[in-house]
Amino acid sequence: MSQRPLDSAPGHPTRRAYRLAAGVAAALLVATVFSSGASAAPEAPSGNPAAAAGSDSTAQATAAADVLTAVNTFLGTLSSSQKTSVQASRTQANLSKWSNLPDALFARAGIRMDALTSAQQTAVLDILAAALSPEGFTQVTGITYGDGVLKAQGGVDLDFGADHYWIRILGTPSATGKWTIQYGGHHLAVNITLSGGTITLGPTLWGAQPASYTRGGATVEPLAGEASKAFAVVRSLNATQLATAVLDTPVKEIILGAGQDGKTLSYEGVKGSALTSAQKTLLLSLINEWITPLDSEQAAPKLVDAQTNLDATYFAWSGSTTVGQPIYYRVQSPTFTIEFAHQQGGGANAGGVTHIHSIYRENGNDYGAED
């Protein structure tokens, strides 16, 4: 993920222009999956993430209102039968109905992008652009485009495709109630829950297959920052810290993925309080990658919480510390849990480290339980 953020003040014309342009551009991406001229995945953000946390409740409410407007606009484009497919009650069973599996292996609910008109597709992407930061929006479209790359590589096709992603609205969209937008498919499950003026992405599954691909002559890595910054943390550890960070039992797959709602993990690894100031900065920069896909006003208080709780946050590792080898890591804060597994193999790229599963959950607040 990661790109230099745009000015994101509420109502700022740059932000509005970006969102409009992003929606149109991504709609063209869906319609012409392998057109040329795409840009590479942006570089990771730098600096102290909490320093940008200047948002207040009014700014958060404005961001939430933008999402509500985008959702109502989308719903206004649908026929009655399409609305019936897209909208459902906000029950735990419906909230939990997501997976990293491709459509051939998992029956999703809602309506798929390739069943929508180009105008309706743009309306869906406008929802994502309103709820996510520019970086988060780029990450989503990088993952979905990659599924089209996977299809083009040949081999076993389990219903892959850049437009094989589903939209679903759980609960009644409103400015005061609690409701959830779900957008996902193979290697992506974005759960956007609104509760009044607050938004959460917990839980959201980020994946990639292939983890890296070329588009328009440039290399695209949707989860580059989540990988490179983790290596920066683990390589900064001294021998004693590393021995504490490495898990006793090797782990190759995320544990709190699909179907694991309500489950927790015991704290393991090296504790933030045992890190040097420089190491804490590296860990906070890694955490930044997982929180900043959310709209900047909504992410700001979460970044502050992450910094406040850094001494009580654990970093755990499994696998090689050599870049390019399969790895697993976990970051556990009092307020969130992150897992990342970069695995061997994957479709036409079997034999290489090409396949990523990762999860971001908010402890006790998945689907906005506490908001």
Side-chain angles (χ1 to χ4, degrees):
M1 200 267 301
S2 309
Q3 77 176 29
R4 184 161 52 96
L6 301 173
D7 186 335
S8 56
H12 191 284
T14 301
R15 182 183 185 191
R16 293 182 182 277
Y18 173 83
R19 285 180 170 172
L20 177 61
V24 173
L28 292 173
L29 178 153
V30 168
T32 58
V33 174
F34 294 106
S35 61
S36 61
S39 60
E43 294 183 359
S46 60
N48 185 340
S55 298
D56 57 22
S57 58
T58 300
Q60 287 183 278
T62 299
D66 288 346
V67 179
L68 177 60
T69 297
V71 167
N72 284 332
T73 298
F74 166 63
L75 292 175
T77 71
L78 302 180
S79 66
S80 58
S81 61
Q82 286 177 319
K83 285 183 180 179
T84 299
S85 297
V86 166
Q87 294 186 280
S89 57
R90 193 179 179 278
T91 63
Q92 184 58 49
N94 283 337
L95 288 169
S96 298
K97 195 174 177 60
W98 54 268
S99 174
N100 60 287
L101 295 174
D103 283 355
L105 302 178
F106 185 82
R108 290 180 166 83
I111 192 165
R112 204 165 77 170
M113 291 289 275
D114 58 350
L116 298 173
T117 66
S118 60
Q120 290 171 330
Q121 290 173 359
T122 298
V124 171
L125 295 167
D126 285 344
I127 296 172
L128 298 177
L132 304 176
S133 65
E135 299 94 335
F137 186 88
T138 298
Q139 182 158 302
V140 167
T141 55
I143 290 168
T144 58
Y145 186 92
D147 213 53
V149 173
L150 180 63
K151 181 179 180 67
Q153 288 176 341
V156 177
D157 184 358
L158 297 176
D159 205 2
F160 303 130
D163 55 1
H164 291 191
Y165 289 82
W166 299 71
I167 177 74
R168 198 181 192 201
I169 311 295
L170 303 179
T172 302
S174 73
T176 57
K178 187 176 296 186
W179 51 287
T180 298
I181 304 157
Q182 294 188 319
Y183 183 82
H186 187 215
H187 284 139
L188 181 68
V190 182
N191 290 292
I192 304 165
T193 296
L194 289 86
S195 181
T198 64
I199 307 175
T200 179
L201 292 182
T204 284
L205 184 145
W206 303 102
Q209 185 181 3
S212 174
Y213 59 87
T214 300
R215 185 181 181 206
T219 299
V220 181
E221 296 182 63
L223 299 171
E226 289 82 348
S228 63
K229 291 190 176 184
F231 274 107
V233 173
V234 75
R235 288 179 160 188
S236 77
L237 302 179
N238 62 36
T240 300
Q241 292 170 324
L242 183 60
T244 304
V246 172
L247 295 167
D248 293 336
T249 302
V251 181
K252 297 182 179 180
E253 177 60 288
I254 60 174
I255 301 168
L256 299 182
Q260 305 303 312
D261 288 350
K263 296 187 178 180
T264 60
L265 296 172
S266 299
Y267 286 101
E268 294 182 275
V270 61
K271 196 173 182 180
S273 57
L275 302 178
T276 67
S277 177
Q279 290 170 330
K280 288 179 183 179
T281 297
L282 292 174
L283 179 57
L284 199 59
S285 183
L286 170 61
I287 292 169
N288 181 78
E289 292 293 306
W290 297 88
I291 296 177
T292 56
L294 182 61
D295 171 270
S296 61
E297 288 87 3
Q298 296 289 333
K302 297 179 187 294
L303 293 170
V304 171
D305 286 343
Q307 184 165 31
T308 300
N309 292 311
L310 199 61
D311 278 352
T313 298
Y314 289 75
F315 176 79
W317 185 271
S318 182
S320 173
T321 57
T322 300
V323 175
Q325 296 301 307
I327 65 165
Y328 167 91
Y329 71 82
R330 185 187 306 159
V331 182
Q332 293 172 277
S333 161
T335 57
F336 61 80
T337 299
I338 294 163
E339 290 185 278
F340 179 98
H342 201 167
Q343 304 167 334
Q344 199 80 20
N349 289 307
V353 183
T354 62
H355 191 160
I356 296 174
H357 293 164
S358 68
I359 189 78
Y360 168 82
R361 287 186 178 271
E362 293 191 349
N363 304 338
N365 193 43
D366 275 350
Y367 310 109
E370 291 183 351
D371 289 335

